[in-house]
Amino acid sequence: MNIQEIFDTVDSIKQEIIDLRRDFHMHPEVGSEVERTAGIVVDLLRKWGLEVQTGVGITGVVGILRGQNGGSVKTVALRADMDALLIKEENNTCYQSVYNGKMHACGHDGHTAMLLGAAKVLAQYKDEIKGNIKFIFQPEEEGPNSGAENMMADGVMNDVDAIFGLHLTTEYPTGTVTIKKGAAMASSDDFEIEMIGIGGHASTPHKCIDAISMAVKVYNDIQFMVSREFDPIDSLIVSIGAFNSGAASNVIQGSAKLKGTIRTLSHEVRAKVKTRICDIVKHVAEEAGGKYKINIIPGVPPLINDIKKATFAEEVVEKVVTKENVIILDKPSMGSEDFAFYVEKVPGVMMMIGARNEEKGFVHLMHHPKFDFDEEALAIGAKLHIQLAMNYLESI
């Protein structure tokens, strides 16, 4: 199979990929409510002769390309996310969002378009592919639930041997690809705490149990725990972003509420910190004679790229963007990505595709109301999907 011929085919549909991205950008859909986007994906995959599964993980779509030897060989999965964000776009482009308050501010429109481009091209070489390829189009990566977890529950990974994901980023210039081997992104769990005391007049504190005092101690004890109970090398963030209680100056409050987030890079630290937060809340309440409620809301696990697959990906990506443009990161990100659920099930790698272009003004980072990216990265992404899938299936 002539890879240059395949890449030439990608270049020939480059504008089609860009047009798809712009259409998705103009019509952003959030959460699992991605019916329009999913409908376009389904129609195109069927048009190109792929098997199509719909309603996977509520509104997810899976395209299946069966190459040589049908179901008796290995299967590699490629994943794109489809959902947008509840952000009012501040760009002024011909493809800006037509929905006030909704915006593709994380590149998912590009992810969907470049995976569709890869699917169209690979479908033309179906008889030469040595295995099966699953094209996973996922809703609800941005929450509030996990589209990846929902698709997993529907069995999307049951017959998959490896998975690769690509994410656009304006942190790095167009033409570059970054890979972090091992722990790449953090877990993300939220918590809600209510400290319950006995309210009363500020002039009689001895007759009350001050919920604010309890909540302040919980806050301080959690930060002490982070800085003194955990190895500094084991990255851990516990941030409390909401502290709410009362409105009057002369009232001792009977209730105070805290909300926060936990970020870790290992399953062990993630489990330990949840236990310790519960211990702290319980101890503070008992010491003050009060009560408490605590709810730890599970999010996504840490995203841990498989070392062997990341090394394989490094060698493959060099064929597309050259060795000089492959950046092996030495530090993980404390952001999170529900691609983590997939790589808990099978070996896989999430990589970042540079799409920053300062001359064109593509400098704003993800989730910014002026986020946009260099569309030259889309053809690169399609080629990467193709090269990763083909080389993986040829290597086994």
Side-chain angles (χ1 to χ4, degrees), residues 202 212 245-253:
I212 290 180
S245 183
S249 62
N250 61 346
V251 176
I252 290 177
Q253 297 300 322

Side-chain angles (χ1 to χ4, degrees), residues 104-376:
H104 271 292
C106 201
H108 297 189
D109 49 345
H111 302 168
T112 302
M114 62 193 188
L115 187 56
L116 283 171
K120 179 175 184 177
V121 172
L122 284 167
Q124 298 176 39
Y125 296 88
K126 177 179 177 180
D127 295 336
E128 300 179 59
I129 295 172
K130 299 178 180 179
N132 305 321
I133 304 174
K134 269 193 175 183
F135 302 91
I136 297 174
F137 295 88
Q138 177 200 312
E140 211 165 1
E141 189 278 324
E142 299 288 359
N145 301 304
S146 167
E149 192 173 25
N150 288 337
M151 294 190 83
M152 293 270 292
D154 282 350
V156 72
M157 299 297 288
N158 288 353
D159 57 351
V160 170
D161 299 287
I163 185 168
F164 298 97
L166 303 175
H167 200 302
L168 292 158
T169 177
T170 50
E171 292 187 77
Y172 293 89
T174 304
T176 62
V177 177
T178 68
I179 303 172
K180 173 65 177 70
K181 299 180 181 181
M185 298 185 76
S187 62
S188 176
D189 301 298
D190 291 342
F191 59 86
E192 300 173 340
I193 298 167
E194 182 179 6
M195 305 308 293
I196 304 168
I198 297 175
H201 198 281
S203 65
T204 57
H206 57 293
K207 296 181 180 179
C208 307
I209 296 176
D210 189 346
I212 290 180
S213 293
M214 287 193 290
V216 168
K217 187 167 185 354
V218 166
Y219 179 95
N220 289 329
D221 285 358
I222 287 174
Q223 299 309 319
F224 183 86
M225 170 201 72
V226 171
S227 66
R228 290 296 177 266
E229 293 185 24
F230 287 83
D231 188 332
I233 303 302
D234 294 330
S235 299
L236 169 63
I237 296 172
V238 181
S239 292
I240 293 175
F243 189 133
N244 298 298
S245 183
S249 62
N250 61 346
V251 176
I252 290 177
Q253 297 300 322
S255 172
K257 296 180 179 180
L258 306 170
K259 291 184 179 182
T261 186
I262 306 165
R263 304 292 175 111
T264 74
L265 290 171
S266 77
H267 298 289
E268 295 76 18
V269 173
R270 185 187 186 204
K272 180 181 175 181
V273 71
K274 291 179 184 180
T275 299
R276 285 295 296 124
I277 289 174
C278 291
D279 291 343
I280 287 169
V281 171
K282 180 175 183 290
H283 175 75
V284 169
E286 289 178 346
E287 186 179 48
K291 298 180 180 180
Y292 68 93
K293 295 179 183 177
I294 184 167
N295 180 28
I296 295 182
I297 305 158
V300 303
L303 196 168
I304 302 175
N305 283 332
D306 181 80
I307 299 293
K308 291 183 178 179
K309 292 295 180 291
T311 299
F312 161 81
E314 177 186 1
E315 296 170 354
V316 171
V317 170
E318 288 177 359
K319 300 175 184 178
V320 181
V321 299
T322 74
K323 185 174 183 176
E324 292 73 21
N325 285 318
V326 179
I327 302 169
I328 303 302
L329 301 175
D330 58 356
K331 294 180 181 179
S333 165
M334 295 308 286
S336 62
E337 230 283 358
D338 74 356
F339 189 82
F341 284 109
Y342 298 126
V343 294
E344 278 194 322
K345 176 78 172 179
V346 302
V349 184
M350 165 67 77
M351 292 160 276
M352 295 288 187
I353 304 178
R356 182 182 184 88
N357 189 318
E358 295 183 7
E359 291 184 3
K360 296 180 181 178
F362 301 126
V363 296
H364 296 96
L365 300 183
M366 290 176 281
H367 292 216
H368 191 282
K370 289 188 176 181
F371 174 81
D372 201 354
F373 60 84
D374 188 355
E375 292 173 326
E376 293 298 315

